[in-house]
Amino acid sequence: MVGSTDLEPLKRLSGTVPGTEISPIVPLQGVERMPTFFGIGRPRMVEARWNGVRIAHSDDTVVVEDNHYFPEHSIDAALLRPSDTTTICPWKGTAHYYSLHVAGADNPDAAWYYPDPKPEAEAIRGRIAFWKGVAVG
């Protein structure tokens, strides 16, 4: 995370042109929302790709423990298959999983979500994260 002193040059420029206000990452109990703008008014698009196919893309991800949680509407739901797998996180709650089915290949339990997160993790409700070889960036 960029320290406040690192933002001083941008702060001086912020707002000199409409739409260039700085929107920094603001931590919320271990949760960071990706900034919509980076001092120049351009959104930062984040993608998730596996097996050569884009699974998700959004400029509105929430980062928790270095994982990007994508809004459900930004994900190609045709590539997801429900899984019976669940795991428990002490501060986020019970995670449920999807397997990916992309270009004829399967990646079991490669996506997870919290349908009923604990209050500390409410920011990830309705969002899905990826792992197991899914490239996010």
Side-chain angles (χ1 to χ4, degrees):
M1 179 181 288
V2 177
S4 61
T5 57
D6 298 328
L7 291 177
E8 290 308 316
L10 289 176
K11 285 181 182 177
R12 286 193 298 276
L13 295 174
S14 177
T16 58
V17 176
T20 63
E21 292 79 15
I22 296 174
S23 178
I25 298 172
V26 179
L28 174 65
Q29 298 181 6
V31 177
E32 295 177 351
R33 180 175 293 278
M34 289 301 296
T36 302
F37 299 100
F38 285 86
I40 56 172
R42 296 186 184 177
R44 176 172 184 241
M45 190 63 66
V46 180
E47 289 188 336
R49 299 182 76 82
W50 184 71
N51 205 18
V53 175
R54 184 172 72 181
I55 301 160
H57 69 286
S58 178
D59 63 354
D60 178 30
T61 63
V62 173
V63 180
V64 179
E65 299 172 338
D66 294 327
N67 296 301
H68 284 267
Y69 284 77
F70 290 81
E72 289 176 340
H73 65 78
S74 71
I75 297 166
D76 185 346
L79 304 176
L80 301 177
R81 302 288 186 268
S83 169
D84 292 329
T85 302
T86 61
T87 57
I88 297 174
C89 171
W91 75 272
K92 291 186 297 261
T94 301
H96 294 249
Y97 289 78
Y98 289 112
S99 295
L100 295 175
H101 182 75
V102 178
D106 292 312
N107 190 347
D109 301 331
W112 75 93
Y113 64 102
Y114 291 85
D116 189 26
K118 292 185 177 185
E120 299 84 2
E122 187 62 33
I124 60 173
R125 181 184 298 274
R127 295 174 178 271
I128 300 173
F130 300 96
W131 69 323
K132 297 183 85 173
V134 176
V136 176

